Amino acid sequence: MSHPLSFLLLILSLFFFNSIFTNSTSFSPLCAPNHCGDVGILYPFWLYGDNTTSDKSYCGYKGFGLTCSSADEKPILALPNDTYYVTEIDYIHYTLTLVDIDAANQSCPRVRHNITLGTLPLNFSTSDLNLSFYFNCSSLYPTSVPPIGCLEGYNTNYPSFVFVEGEETAGFDWANICEEKVVAAVMETEIDTSNLSSGGFAGAIKNGFALDWKPLKDCGACESSGGYCGYNNTGEEDKFLCFCRDGSINGEGCKASFI
Ligand SMILES: *[C@@H]1O[C@H](CO)[C@@H](O)[C@H](O)[C@H]1NC(C)=O
Ligand SMILES: *[C@@H]1O[C@H](CO)[C@@H](O)[C@H](O)[C@H]1NC(C)=O
Ligand SMILES: *[C@@H]1O[C@H](CO)[C@@H](O)[C@H](O)[C@H]1NC(C)=O
Ligand SMILES: *[C@@H]1O[C@H](CO)[C@@H](O)[C@H](O)[C@H]1NC(C)=O
Ligand SMILES: *[C@@H]1O[C@H](CO)[C@@H](O)[C@H](O)[C@H]1NC(C)=O
Ligand SMILES: *[C@@H]1O[C@H](CO)[C@@H](O)[C@H](O)[C@H]1NC(C)=O
Ligand SMILES: *[C@@H]1O[C@H](CO)[C@@H](O)[C@H](O)[C@H]1NC(C)=O
Ligand SMILES: *[C@@H]1O[C@H](CO)[C@@H](O)[C@H](O)[C@H]1NC(C)=O
Ligand SMILES: *[C@@H]1O[C@H](CO)[C@@H](O)[C@H](O)[C@H]1NC(C)=O
Ligand SMILES: *[C@@H]1O[C@H](CO)[C@@H](O)[C@H](O)[C@H]1NC(C)=O
């Protein structure tokens, strides 16, 4: 934060979010801030309703709807091919931290799905690192490479391996001797590459990975006029909405009545 402009932006956004938290009614009460467990849920994220509340899909971006699990009060995001716990949403740096539900509760997690972002306005964070898992391989592997020690049900006849993506054994085609390859993202700071296969990957997988979200092009005019953009998808086709600070809802953007 040495750049003066970044600093100004930080102050502005702190002020902006502070005003949301301290007086939610100054924004449209239709989209008041919410939470699930200790994760705050605000635009562009929204909560699916339960029996007593209705979906708030118009309060944020399509695809950014979260389900709050009733059992353990954790928000869940469904990406196109798998579901993830959302452990943190940082509204200042536009990042979120996800943990693969398949792996969340296991001492030796077995990831099952590549992360698929689809067309959502999300991208991997620069703080991530990819791990390549090769599961259920034949015994033709180079003996200098240690198999993953802890995976249950994958006996020594069919070992599995993990590498930092791109650091697989040079000149050896792992995909050729293994049944399945899965790529998982982890936070670079959480991984100890020296003991990956002896279980060093497990803690990092359980701590999840970070994604950046990007403002949608359509929302630019609304957001820069101080509003929240949302969609009404209950009609025939999606209708873009802009929720303004004065409580009005527009299609275009808010009047220039900033604060
Ligand atoms: C919040 O806003 C409402 C209406 O805009 C106002 O009546 C109320 O006093 C405000 N509350 C606080 C704590 O500022
Ligand atoms: C929602 O409704 C279903 C069946 O109608 C019921 O089994 C469930 O307990 C309800 N959940 C809540 C949170 O009320
Ligand atoms: C989604 O997962 C299924 C099965 O796990 C797989 O066959 C399919 O290729 C995956 N799709 C993408 C886009 O990764
Ligand atoms: C996690 O594991 C504990 C103990 O094995 C179990 O009680 C709990 O239900 C599990 N939670 C989930 C979400 O699977
Ligand atoms: C996503 O991030 C990767 C590297 O982290 C970058 O190469 C790529 O251009 C980004 N994609 C978009 C659409 O921003
Ligand atoms: C990890 O894999 C994803 C999907 O293949 C890719 O978009 C991303 O750039 C990779 N990240 C790194 C740090 O290589
Ligand atoms: C591993 O592969 C072998 C042979 O392809 C198969 O018989 C076995 O069921 C697989 N094991 C697992 C745990 O997937
Ligand atoms: C995951 O992605 C890799 C390429 O990055 C691909 O080779 C592999 O088959 C994919 N695995 C699954 C389960 O889709
Ligand atoms: C991996 O190495 C780190 C640091 O050297 C250590 O704290 C951790 O316990 C090791 N993990 C395993 C499973 O050996
Ligand atoms: C969404 O559209 C439906 C039908 O077109 C309408 O009844 C409803 O009031 C709209 N909701 C909002 C928040 O604009």
Side-chain angles (χ1 to χ4, degrees), residues 151-166:
L151 276 176
E152 281 173 38
Y154 292 78
N155 65 33
T156 47
N157 291 332
Y158 300 108
S160 298
F161 300 85
V162 58
F163 303 91
V164 172
E165 187 181 46

Side-chain angles (χ1 to χ4, degrees), residues 151-238:
L151 276 176
E152 281 173 38
Y154 292 78
N155 65 33
T156 47
N157 291 332
Y158 300 108
S160 298
F161 300 85
V162 58
F163 303 91
V164 172
E165 187 181 46
E167 295 180 10
E168 288 94 335
T169 328
F172 189 79
D173 186 3
W174 286 94
N176 192 39
I177 65 152
C178 302
E179 198 172 85
E180 190 179 30
K181 176 185 181 185
V182 178
V183 180
V186 294
M187 285 184 274
E188 200 168 3
T189 51
E190 300 297 325
I191 198 80
D192 174 5
T193 52
S194 66
N195 64 4
L196 269 188
S197 55
S198 62
F201 69 92
I205 292 280
K206 285 192 283 183
N207 281 321
F209 57 96
L211 296 176
D212 299 329
W213 84 79
K214 296 171 281 190
L216 285 174
K217 194 158 158 267
D218 277 355
C219 301
C222 174
E223 290 179 338
S224 62
S225 68
Y228 295 140
C229 90
Y231 297 89
N232 187 350
N233 49 20
T234 59
E236 303 256 296
E237 59 189 56
D238 293 352

Side-chain angles (χ1 to χ4, degrees), residues 86-97:
V86 179
T87 55
E88 194 186 340
I89 305 180
D90 181 335
Y91 293 93
I92 293 182
H93 303 104
Y94 304 101
T95 61
L96 67 159
T97 308

Side-chain angles (χ1 to χ4, degrees), residues 102-138:
D102 293 338
N105 211 13
Q106 296 172 36
S107 58
C108 188
R110 190 325 189 170
V111 288
R112 301 197 172 272
H113 304 273
N114 285 343
I115 302 157
T116 311
L117 302 178
T119 55
L120 294 170
L122 292 170
N123 200 2
F124 292 94
S125 159
T126 50
S127 60
D128 292 330
L129 186 75
N130 287 334
L131 298 181
S132 296
F133 288 89
Y134 293 88
F135 292 110
N136 204 19
C137 305
S138 80

